[in-house]
């Protein structure tokens, strides 16, 4: 069997047809694909369950972008160790996180941590 190597770019070899231009398209006014992709890759990818949203709101737990970044990094460390369900402790809250789904399941304020029992976790991360 003979080997075939393509060293040239593949493109149209004949006329493109009516209404099709060989000129490049005008630049779009929105963000470039590369910038959207890098934003998505850089953004923390944790989701909040409806239950966790309710708990954060009802317990008046305020987490800023820096807090979420530290929590995300803690979840990534737990994932690297094979964790499935982690308890992530921060100064502002304790969060039970499904590591596999990257979803915060519930949140507890520091004042309420003393009397709580956390079940169905296999790891704990302090951030």
């Amino acid at each position: 069997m003979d080997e075939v190597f393509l060293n040239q770019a593949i493109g149209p070899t004949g006329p493109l047809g009516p209404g099709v231009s060989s000129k490049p398209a005008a630049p779009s006014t929105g963000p470039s694909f590369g910038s959207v992709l890098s934003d998505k890759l850089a953004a923390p990818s944790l989701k909040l369950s409806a239950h966790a949203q309710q708990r954060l709101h009802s317990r008046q737990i305020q987490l800023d972008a820096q807090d979420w970044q530290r929590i995300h990094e803690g979840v990534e460390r737990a994932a690297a160790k094979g964790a499935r369900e982690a308890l992530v402790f921060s100064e502002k809250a304790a969060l039970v996180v499904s590591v596999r789904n990257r979803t915060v399941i519930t949140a507890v304020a520091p004042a309420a941590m003393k009397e709580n029992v956390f079940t169905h976790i296999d790891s704990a991360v302090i951030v």
Side-chain angles (χ1 to χ4, degrees):
M1 184 178 231
D2 293 330
E3 293 183 15
V4 177
F5 295 97
L6 298 176
N7 291 327
Q8 298 176 348
I10 298 174
T13 58
L16 297 175
V20 179
S21 172
S22 63
K23 296 179 188 174
S28 68
T29 57
S32 71
F33 173 79
S35 68
V36 171
L37 178 62
S38 65
D39 288 348
K40 289 292 184 185
L41 292 175
S45 58
L46 288 177
K47 297 173 278 202
L48 289 171
S49 69
H51 178 78
Q53 288 177 7
Q54 289 173 344
R55 292 295 183 252
L56 287 168
H57 179 71
S58 67
R59 295 172 177 168
Q60 299 176 350
I61 300 170
Q62 300 292 322
L63 299 171
D64 60 24
Q66 186 178 24
D67 296 326
W68 283 114
Q69 182 62 36
R70 287 189 359 242
I71 292 165
H72 174 71
E73 290 168 0
V75 171
E76 291 303 315
R77 287 194 318 261
K81 296 286 187 175
R84 292 181 307 246
E85 304 285 327
L87 178 61
V88 180
F89 286 104
S90 78
E91 295 171 356
K92 297 179 181 177
L95 307 171
V96 176
V97 180
S98 169
V99 176
R100 289 180 180 173
N101 299 327
R102 302 300 196 268
T103 302
V104 178
I105 298 168
T106 193
V108 179
M113 282 188 225
K114 186 182 274 186
E115 308 226 355
N116 264 320
V117 174
F118 297 95
T119 60
H120 302 290
I121 61 169
D122 60 18
S123 58
V125 181
I126 300 172
V127 297

